[in-house]
Amino acid sequence: MTLDPNHNYSNAALRIGDVDRYPRRRVGEFIGIVASNAGVNDEYRHIVVKVHEQALKAYAGQMFHLLCPSPDGAEVWMRRPMSVYRVDKAAGAVEFLYKIEGRGTRGMGKLQPGDEFNIAGPLGAGFKLEPAWKNIVVLGRGVGLATLAPLSQLAAEQGVGVTAILSARHQGVVMSKALFEELGARTVTVLDSDGTSAVENVERVIEELIAARKADAFFTCGSNRLLKLTQRLGKKHNIPGQVAMEQIMVCGFGACYVCMRTFEVDGKRVLRRVCREGPVFNMQEAVGW
Amino acid sequence: MVDLSVKIGDITLQNPVQPASGAFSWEYNDVIDLNRLGALVAKTICREPRLGNPTPRMAETEAGIIQSIGLPGKGIDYFIAHIVPEYAKFTPPLVVSVSSETIEDFAALAEELSVPDVDVIEANISCPTRNSTGGNFAMHEDYTRDCIKAIRAKTKKPLWVKLSPNAGDIVSIAKAAEAAGADALVIANTFLSLKIRTDNFRPALGNKFGGLVSPALKPIVLRMVYQVAKQVKIPIIGIGGVTKAEDVVEYMLAGASAVGIGYAGFRNPTALISIIDDLAAWCDERGITKVTELIGAVRDQDMETDTLAAASVGV
């Protein structure tokens, strides 16, 4: 069976130009229009979705919950949470960078310019820059770099220097390098193919940044190894950090308690909702995955 | 202007659309106007703080999702002090769902929850991942009667009883709940289910079993509502597979006075508002001035059937 994503049950969703009749709104269900959806390299795709202006409030680290079309004629029952790659206020669009992994992203890959795309958000608590931080280090791997990319925009707006350590299997799948550099970030690419992504080497790069006073805070996503490394170096040098996490998610509003992750706070294990308390968390409290 | 209001015992709902317990919290206020809902239904609360079940808590199947959450919550004291006031900011009646593993504690919880801002107690005696002697009392007629009798003795609040679709004879259990003093029946909870991953041979959920949530449940639960409505006098709230206004109509025709919605609100966060608007439009187009006209209005006495067609294939 399949359900029509934009019929009947979503008449209250906002289309571009609609008058919003709910002034207390923090989150919307939006029926956007796909402007483009194309491959950027062997593995990743970039989609641009024109949306109602209320969706443009999204900031770095926040997510949208995407109602992906079916790739195979059978229903895709749940939305897929995805962090926003870029908000283009001038064009009235939100952008996502994604890798085709499962049925949801496979369906997403089939969207054509002009198609409707139902997205809900912006959800959750994103990245926050403390005024005392003058230089930050961003470390990510794979599609995790899509989550970190908008940090460069945020940092540029606040005059914060960024060093981005981009980890990937090989040169062909390095993500977001151009976007980081375009916004003034210094990038360091580390690869599995030449061994530079090894923990010892990344550690050496970070230690150099710390010595040069270029590491007031760490931001990471997409790699348990990089999380553990920055947790260790953060503890050693007393440097704070934030990590963006993901989990299978259902409602996106904090109601269903499906998207739980474990954290350690003052020696005690606690569960937190990725959709509500997250997806960005205090790096030192994350237990990893 | 269509009158969408319905009565569940002494409680008047401005329309027959409410969220299902577990699928909703006041935090949906971020995306929809909660004051438009028929009722607000809190997540099931237990006495003790509970972390809930191991993850993953949800898996997709061909015909819906299965989930096993494990009634996480911060316990009754926190609930009364901090969660009830969050709901009290909104105008629709507050339905508080409650669960326990023993009859005595169930009754005591219902008594403690009978505070002014709580309008209805919903006894969740049907959490599918609890066993029949440890909380899933709705699997058995006698357990249901004993449990509801004990709760009834301890609270004057309207008492709704949430039944299980996993019981063999839901009509007998519904009658037992009515006899024990229930003011309304909520039909039904989720269907006990299992998914096994073929890539690693393991159950897909951390808790192994889960409850199936899907539009596919609608014809089955609708049948249960229809059967129960013929046998009890108290109102019924139908829950299972509602994704659009016509589904609300169908449940009401079968005998329900209201519906609860879970999955549709996950899929489309604004679905409940759409369904309320569409229900009003649906009634208006047909000259129905009061939605209550639909309750039990199924035309099962003047069906047009071709008896010769059955005879010709030898039935």
Side-chain angles (χ1 to χ4, degrees):
Chain A
M1 67 188 297
T2 53
L3 298 165
D4 180 342
N6 293 323
H7 185 55
N8 279 326
Y9 16 79
S10 57
N11 290 346
L14 292 169
R15 293 168 190 270
I16 298 162
D18 278 356
V19 176
D20 187 357
R21 298 183 194 287
Y22 184 47
R24 291 168 70 184
R25 178 185 311 288
R26 291 178 43 183
V27 176
E29 179 181 344
F30 303 101
I31 298 176
I33 303 289
V34 175
S36 64
N37 185 19
V40 293
N41 60 29
D42 294 349
E43 292 183 358
Y44 294 93
R45 294 177 67 82
H46 176 223
I47 189 169
V48 178
V49 188
K50 295 220 174 209
V51 277
H52 188 277
E53 60 184 7
Q54 287 277 23
L56 305 174
K57 291 186 295 192
Y59 66 91
Q62 283 192 305
M63 312 168 283
F64 281 90
H65 219 6
L66 314 178
L67 189 53
C68 299
S70 171
D72 50 20
E75 184 61 49
V76 176
W77 292 98
M78 285 326 308
R79 287 176 182 260
R80 302 296 195 263
M82 195 176 286
S83 58
V84 64
Y85 176 60
R86 189 161 170 258
V87 178
D88 186 344
K89 287 196 172 141
V94 291
E95 305 177 14
F96 302 94
L97 194 63
Y98 63 102
K99 184 178 176 184
I100 293 177
E101 288 273 12
R103 293 182 62 237
T105 43
R106 208 158 4 113
M108 202 172 154
K110 296 195 172 189
L111 286 166
Q112 299 292 321
D115 285 351
E116 290 186 337
F117 191 26
N118 187 315
I119 68 173
L123 297 175
F127 295 109
K128 285 183 190 67
L129 293 178
E130 301 277 338
W133 301 341
K134 301 300 173 212
N135 292 286
I136 61 170
V137 178
V138 172
L139 311 87
R141 183 171 168 90
V143 84
L145 285 163
T147 303
L148 297 165
L151 252 179
S152 59
Q153 203 174 348
L154 193 67
E157 281 164 15
Q158 301 186 16
V160 173
V162 177
T163 306
I165 301 174
L166 317 175
S167 175
R169 276 190 289 115
H170 58 85
Q171 197 69 48
V173 291
V174 175
M175 297 306 304
S176 309
K177 190 168 191 283
L179 185 58
F180 275 113
E181 288 175 351
E182 192 183 306
L183 288 151
R186 178 180 162 241
T187 62
V188 179
T189 302
V190 295
L191 303 172
D192 298 356
S193 57
D194 64 9
T196 47
S197 66
V199 169
E200 306 74 47
N201 185 57
V202 178
E203 182 168 353
R204 190 187 51 76
V205 173
I206 298 171
E207 287 283 12
E208 280 171 17
L209 290 167
I210 294 168
R213 298 182 177 278
K214 295 285 185 197
D216 297 329
F218 296 122
F219 294 84
T220 186
C221 179
S223 162
N224 202 34
R225 235 169 24 137
L226 290 178
L227 171 64
K228 296 288 174 203
L229 174 62
T230 45
Q231 278 179 333
R232 183 159 57 78
L233 294 177
K235 273 205 187 97
K236 183 176 161 194
H237 296 283
N238 200 24
I239 296 169
Q242 293 167 19
V243 56
M245 303 187 83
E246 63 176 1
Q247 176 60 289
I248 291 169
M249 194 173 286
V250 173
C251 74
F253 290 90
C256 73
Y257 285 72
V258 163
C259 64
M260 310 309 286
R261 284 271 180 206
T262 306
F263 295 84
E264 199 170 298
V265 183
D266 301 329
K268 268 196 228 156
R269 293 262 165 139
V270 299
L271 292 177
R272 286 178 177 156
R273 300 169 291 188
V274 170
C275 74
R276 195 86 190 174
E277 285 84 40
V280 175
F281 296 94
N282 179 340
M283 192 179 76
Q284 291 299 354
E285 291 176 349
V287 169
W289 58 91
Chain B
M1 193 63 186
V2 182
D3 179 4
L4 287 183
S5 70
V6 295
K7 287 196 81 171
I8 309 290
D10 296 333
I11 298 278
T12 299
L13 311 183
Q14 61 182 338
N15 64 63
V17 176
Q18 56 179 266
S21 176
F24 176 76
S25 77
W26 80 92
E27 290 139 321
Y28 262 83
N29 168 50
D30 281 357
V31 67
I32 57 171
D33 184 357
L34 300 191
N35 288 334
R36 294 209 50 207
L37 302 178
L40 307 176
V41 185
K43 278 178 91 70
T44 298
I45 187 70
C46 302
R47 177 170 300 284
E48 71 286 0
R50 293 168 61 93
L51 289 175
N53 289 331
T55 57
R57 292 180 173 183
M58 186 280 288
E60 280 186 313
T61 76
E62 295 76 6
I65 62 171
I66 62 170
Q67 55 177 42
S68 179
I69 312 297
L71 307 177
K74 293 186 176 172
I76 185 173
D77 297 336
Y78 184 90
F79 181 81
I80 291 172
H82 300 285
I83 311 276
V84 170
E86 290 292 343
Y87 284 107
K89 294 174 187 167
F90 304 97
T91 51
L94 172 60
V95 180
V96 167
S97 175
V98 58
S99 178
S100 181
E101 291 188 358
T102 70
I103 288 174
E104 298 69 32
D105 185 51
F106 223 131
L109 279 170
E111 185 176 26
E112 289 164 53
L113 286 166
S114 298
V115 297
D117 283 334
V118 172
D119 298 292
V120 175
I121 305 279
E122 179 181 286
N124 178 6
I125 58 168
S126 52
C127 179
T129 49
R130 288 190 153 185
N131 68 48
S132 59
T133 52
N136 196 347
F137 300 106
M139 292 300 285
H140 199 283
E141 208 178 315
D142 294 335
Y143 295 142
T144 299
R145 185 183 303 107
D146 294 347
C147 185
I148 300 309
K149 229 181 222 171
I151 297 172
R152 179 76 287 170
K154 290 290 178 73
T155 181
K156 291 190 167 56
K157 295 279 183 188
L159 174 60
W160 299 0
V161 178
K162 193 162 183 177
L163 301 184
S164 173
N166 302 307
D169 178 7
I170 196 169
V171 174
S172 299
I173 292 164
K175 287 163 80 172
E178 181 184 40
D183 294 305
L185 300 171
V186 181
I187 302 175
N189 215 310
T190 56
F191 286 60
L192 191 61
S193 308
L194 174 66
K195 175 180 178 172
I196 300 172
R197 292 174 53 162
T198 50
D199 58 346
N200 63 13
F201 291 18
R202 293 185 170 120
L205 295 183
N207 184 53
K208 192 159 68 179
F209 298 126
L212 179 66
V213 173
S214 168
L217 304 183
K218 196 189 71 179
I220 311 175
V221 179
L222 191 76
R223 180 267 299 172
M224 293 176 178
V225 167
Y226 174 85
Q227 288 178 314
V228 171
K230 296 273 184 205
Q231 300 284 328
V232 302
K233 292 191 173 60
I234 52 178
I236 297 169
I237 295 108
I239 303 183
V242 172
T243 59
K244 56 189 186 297
E246 287 83 351
D247 299 337
V248 183
V249 172
E250 225 181 317
Y251 269 108
M252 294 187 82
L253 293 173
S257 297
V259 300
I261 299 178
Y263 171 73
F266 291 156
R267 180 189 183 82
N268 296 96
T270 59
L272 273 70
I273 302 298
S274 292
I275 291 169
I276 294 165
D277 289 342
D278 291 351
L279 181 64
W282 189 95
C283 290
D284 203 34
E285 280 163 22
R286 287 156 185 81
I288 294 167
T289 54
K290 288 175 182 296
V291 77
T292 49
E293 291 170 34
L294 297 170
I295 301 171
V298 54
R299 287 174 60 179
D300 52 0
Q301 298 301 313
D302 67 339
M303 292 164 64
E304 288 177 357
T305 54
D306 186 346
T307 49
L308 286 175
S312 68
V313 293
V315 176

